[in-house]
Amino acid sequence: VQLQASGGGLEQAGGSLRLSCAASGRTFSSYHMGWFRQAPGKAREFVAAITKSGGSAYYGESVEGRFTISRDNAKNTVYLQMNNLKPEDTAVYYCAADPRRLHDYDYWGQGTQVTVSS
């Protein structure tokens, strides 16, 4: 599966952004999907994950209650709605896919930059 993330940009603190990740192929619903982020000089951080059917979602502590992951299997797309953005959310955001695991992924997109100004 090939993944293409989009929707990043510059936003003020307290604002919102929605990231999208479009997947190629006709087996999108066979993959758990996740979002990760990496800020300069920091390790990659788990942001959110969603199961194949969209029935369950999981979040990292730093984004719980502010971010929402969702998916549209008919459109082969996973979304990350980010609300109440904070400067510490500034990072490159990556989407990822895996047919078996929710927190360890084999397939990665190219990343989209999110910058939050204070």
Side-chain angles (χ1 to χ4, degrees):
V1 62
Q2 292 185 323
L3 305 173
Q4 180 75 36
S6 61
L10 175 64
E11 183 58 69
Q12 291 184 336
S16 299
L17 283 172
R18 188 176 82 154
L19 305 183
S20 299
C21 176
S24 64
R26 290 179 280 182
T27 59
F28 179 69
S29 60
S30 299
Y31 293 89
H32 299 308
M33 299 297 298
W35 286 97
F36 291 76
R37 66 187 183 186
Q38 188 165 22
K42 294 188 176 181
R44 187 172 63 198
E45 177 187 10
F46 168 74
V47 175
I50 190 166
T51 53
K52 298 173 184 180
S53 66
S56 296
Y58 306 88
Y59 297 93
E61 284 187 9
S62 60
V63 306
E64 180 86 49
R66 299 187 298 121
F67 291 10
T68 302
I69 188 171
S70 62
R71 67 190 295 161
D72 186 338
N73 285 346
K75 296 182 178 180
N76 285 9
T77 303
V78 62
Y79 305 98
L80 185 68
Q81 178 66 43
M82 306 185 295
N83 297 331
N84 190 21
L85 285 163
K86 303 176 180 181
E88 51 264 43
D89 294 320
T90 295
V92 178
Y93 284 70
Y94 299 89
C95 59
D98 197 275
R100 298 175 305 278
R101 299 163 297 189
L102 270 170
H103 293 281
D104 191 13
Y105 293 83
D106 282 341
Y107 304 96
W108 293 83
Q110 87 292 355
T112 185
Q113 176 71 47
V114 172
T115 303
V116 183
S117 62
S118 57

